[in-house]
Amino acid sequence: MFYLVTFYRTLFSKPMVAALWGCGLFLITFSFVGRGALESKLVLSTKPTQVNPYFFAVMPKGINAEYVKRKLLDIPGVDKVNLMAEASIENHVKSVLESTQLDWDSDILDLNYSGLKVSLSQDLKPRSQKLIRNYLTRIAGEKDVTLGAIKTPRQEESKLNLTHLFDRVFYWLPFAGIGLFLLSLFSIREELGKESFIIETYQRRNRVFERGMAYAQAPVLLLMGALAFSYGTVALIGLGITGLGLFVILGLGIKSKKWT
Amino acid sequence: MFDFHKNQAMNFRASVGPKLFGAENISVKFGQTQALKGIDFNLHQGEIVFLTGVSGAGKTTFLKTLGGFLEPTSGRVVRPNPRKVFTAPIFQDLKLFENQTCEQNLLSSFDPSVYKNRKEFDQDLMELARILGVNNRLDLKIKNANGGLKQKIAFMRALLTRPDVLLADEPTAALDFENARKMFDILNLYNVKQGLTVVWATHNKELAKKFTGRMVHMDKGKLIYSGHACFI
């Protein structure tokens, strides 16, 4: 207890170093246990409502869109079918016509369309996608239905990017944490060396620096060890680096222990 | 601890016991500078030795070598087993923690293997503080303390370890004669009651002559006199 108190007293006498030490420990722990929670939270919040490939189908209102929807949902490969709102279809059609820069009169145009958004299953082969589109053409009528191209949502791409980013960040995070942790120990080695020197000089104790350092780091190393066994190689590397760093600091500390 | 005022006038010595420290032809060199040259010295239990000499004579180097803080370049220092004979130093640069209070610095000496409990330590601390007149300044941070107070704290820190040997390097450099006298009286009392052995380095030969003890004089890294002060 005495050695722990000596270590923490020295550490907290320098608030900045103590903050570094805390950040280092937090990063090390977080890098091993926090990924799952953070990833699910971030991915869920950015997860699109529709991530499957989809296409639009427009047909006259005379065709029973509900019937078409039911028939489509019965076949494999169709994930979801949404009926589109009338106003949104009208807007779509108008914007398409405007973009063509043709003269047209809205009175003579029949804009009574109903629309469907057909979401397909992920990883559906192009051949199967084509079969579904053919089936839709057959039940709605080849002349009446207009099909849009199949689109793959962009959100899917961003999710992949996020996963890739997570891979990179969480690969380097333990090293950053270990770096901060060792830096904090390195920063207090002189103070702790002086404190140890005085204690060894004025009390009947010896190896105060080494014991203080070891006792204070033992729980941390145990935590790292436990994480290493739970999470595998990266944690083992981290454990190795931390251990090595501690030895280096101990060596430097012992050298600087003489307060002369 | 003791009643200081009742014992203040004592001018007798504890009987001299067996040899504790021995320096056999020791020399210390810092680069090209020869700090100590072939010194032979013996320190016996219960002795009070004044180590005198001008600044740069080698007193500090000799004390550090004797205390084990410096290794001699040649020669041999025989020291007692630290588990049996505890040696407390008073450093010339004091080595106090500037950001800590006087009391926090003194707590460095609280060794549970020496004191029964913290209360006993506090009693000793307060008694010494009262004698030295620092009992109302213990909350002061060292960085705000004057030179005299710092020296008294360093002196107290060493004495609170209940040492067998005290190696004091210029412990009264920043103090007037009255305060130096007080310190010497305390050491004298410890010497008589507990057989404390003292080596007191000072450049002030006149001060040393006023106190009783063996005088060892150094010059240019050599020990040139060892004996009673009246013969120097």
Side-chain angles (χ1 to χ4, degrees):
Chain A
M1 195 64 188
F2 170 81
Y3 301 102
L4 267 181
V5 169
T6 306
F7 174 80
Y8 287 116
R9 194 179 54 220
T10 313
L11 180 72
F12 288 103
S13 69
K14 292 191 163 191
M16 282 295 287
V17 180
L20 269 185
W21 185 81
C23 282
L25 271 187
F26 173 76
L27 284 184
I28 293 167
T29 314
F30 184 71
S31 61
F32 293 124
V33 297
R35 178 172 181 163
L38 187 72
E39 201 172 36
S40 65
K41 200 169 186 181
L42 275 183
V43 170
L44 274 179
S45 64
T46 57
K47 199 175 178 182
T49 47
Q50 174 61 279
V51 292
N52 295 8
Y54 65 90
F55 65 90
F56 288 106
V58 182
M59 62 195 83
K61 265 204 160 165
I63 299 171
N64 188 347
E66 277 291 341
Y67 168 76
V68 177
K69 178 184 170 182
R70 274 202 310 278
K71 293 297 261 181
L72 279 174
L73 283 173
D74 283 343
I75 60 170
V78 175
D79 188 54
K80 211 189 284 178
V81 179
N82 293 324
L83 282 171
M84 292 175 74
E86 201 173 317
S88 94
I89 301 168
E90 206 166 301
N91 287 339
H92 264 294
V93 174
K94 278 181 181 172
S95 68
V96 170
L97 286 173
E98 276 168 4
S99 67
T100 58
Q101 294 180 331
L102 291 170
D103 288 335
W104 57 277
D105 186 352
S106 59
D107 294 337
I108 59 165
L109 276 173
D110 180 11
L111 290 174
N112 277 337
Y113 289 102
S114 57
L116 292 174
K117 184 182 176 185
V118 183
S119 301
L120 305 171
S121 304
Q122 281 181 337
D123 307 324
L124 198 64
K125 287 178 184 168
R127 191 179 129 75
S128 307
Q129 290 178 350
K130 199 177 171 187
L131 280 172
I132 291 168
R133 284 163 70 91
N134 286 344
Y135 179 67
L136 174 59
T137 312
R138 210 164 52 243
I139 55 174
E142 197 177 341
K143 287 178 185 171
D144 296 324
V145 72
T146 307
L147 302 181
I150 294 175
K151 292 178 182 174
T152 306
R154 280 184 183 175
Q155 287 92 331
E156 179 67 9
E157 207 173 288
S158 71
K159 184 192 163 189
L160 283 172
N161 280 343
L162 202 64
T163 312
H164 183 62
L165 183 75
F166 267 54
D167 282 342
R168 298 196 92 178
V169 167
F170 277 88
Y171 179 77
W172 290 109
L173 209 58
F175 293 101
I178 290 163
L180 286 181
F181 178 71
L182 292 179
L183 183 69
S184 67
L185 296 186
F186 188 77
S187 306
I188 59 155
R189 81 191 192 289
E190 215 172 299
E191 280 298 309
L192 191 63
K194 284 181 179 177
E195 185 92 28
S196 309
F197 174 77
I198 288 298
I199 290 168
E200 284 174 21
T201 305
Y202 293 105
Q203 291 184 27
R204 286 140 180 97
R205 295 180 199 265
N206 49 36
R207 298 195 180 282
V208 176
F209 179 88
E210 295 87 329
R211 286 179 185 171
M213 213 51 137
Y215 283 32
Q217 304 322 316
V220 179
L221 287 174
L222 278 177
L223 172 74
M224 293 284 292
L227 289 171
F229 282 112
S230 313
Y231 290 86
T233 334
V234 179
L236 277 173
I237 293 168
L239 183 67
I241 293 172
T242 314
L244 191 71
L246 271 175
F247 272 113
V248 173
I249 289 163
L250 272 172
L252 287 171
I254 291 163
K255 257 192 148 184
S256 65
K257 204 166 72 172
K258 293 286 176 197
W259 187 5
T260 48
Chain B
M1 191 168 66
F2 52 76
D3 191 341
F4 173 75
H5 294 289
K6 278 184 187 169
N7 297 288
Q8 197 174 19
M10 285 187 304
N11 60 354
F12 53 86
R13 251 325 137 261
S15 57
V16 171
K19 188 173 97 174
L20 291 180
F21 285 84
E24 297 168 7
N25 196 27
I26 58 165
S27 296
V28 174
K29 226 177 170 184
F30 298 116
Q32 294 299 312
T33 314
Q34 184 86 45
L36 296 181
K37 292 175 200 165
I39 290 183
D40 289 301
F41 174 81
N42 286 321
L43 181 69
H44 294 85
Q45 191 186 13
E47 263 193 307
I48 292 186
V49 174
F50 286 97
L51 191 61
T52 60
V54 295
S55 298
K59 302 186 296 292
T60 299
T61 308
F62 179 57
L63 271 190
K64 279 185 178 175
T65 314
L66 207 59
F69 299 103
L70 206 64
E71 283 304 313
T73 317
S74 64
R76 195 167 77 103
V77 179
V78 181
R79 296 185 195 95
N81 183 349
R83 290 186 183 193
K84 290 179 182 166
V85 179
F86 186 74
T87 306
I90 299 174
F91 298 101
Q92 194 174 25
D93 57 354
L94 306 178
K95 298 199 194 303
L96 295 167
F97 291 105
E98 292 286 318
N99 282 323
Q100 292 182 8
T101 63
C102 296
E103 193 171 1
Q104 283 168 338
N105 270 281
L106 292 172
L107 274 174
S108 314
S109 299
F110 174 56
D111 189 343
S113 67
V114 175
Y115 291 92
K116 280 181 212 154
N117 49 38
R118 176 69 190 273
K119 198 180 163 191
E120 193 187 351
F121 174 81
D122 285 342
Q123 277 174 354
D124 272 16
L125 188 155
M126 288 317 292
E127 180 70 8
L128 267 178
R130 192 181 55 76
I131 295 165
L132 291 168
V134 297
N135 47 340
N136 55 355
R137 287 187 286 170
L138 292 175
D139 292 336
L140 204 64
K141 280 201 171 180
I142 291 295
K143 64 182 174 189
N144 300 325
N146 59 38
L149 178 59
K150 284 180 187 175
Q151 280 203 320
K152 286 176 184 174
I153 296 299
F155 176 77
M156 285 171 69
R157 183 175 63 179
L159 271 194
L160 283 169
T161 62
R162 292 187 174 169
D164 301 297
V165 180
L166 186 78
L167 302 177
D169 192 0
E170 306 270 10
T172 56
L175 297 174
D176 54 34
F177 180 74
E178 275 313 305
N179 277 302
R181 174 91 232 174
K182 257 187 206 174
M183 275 193 187
F184 180 76
D185 284 344
I186 292 170
L187 288 185
N188 203 20
L189 201 64
Y190 269 82
N191 173 262
V192 172
K193 288 213 158 186
Q194 296 168 13
L196 175 71
T197 309
V198 182
V199 181
W200 180 316
T202 175
H203 63 270
N204 191 343
K205 206 160 51 183
E206 296 311 310
L207 177 84
K209 278 181 180 175
K210 285 176 183 158
F211 303 140
T212 43
R214 173 157 70 111
M215 188 179 280
V216 171
H217 192 68
M218 290 184 72
D219 188 36
K220 293 174 185 168
K222 283 183 181 171
L223 203 153
I224 56 170
Y225 175 79
S226 176
H228 198 276
C230 60
F231 298 116
I232 196 166

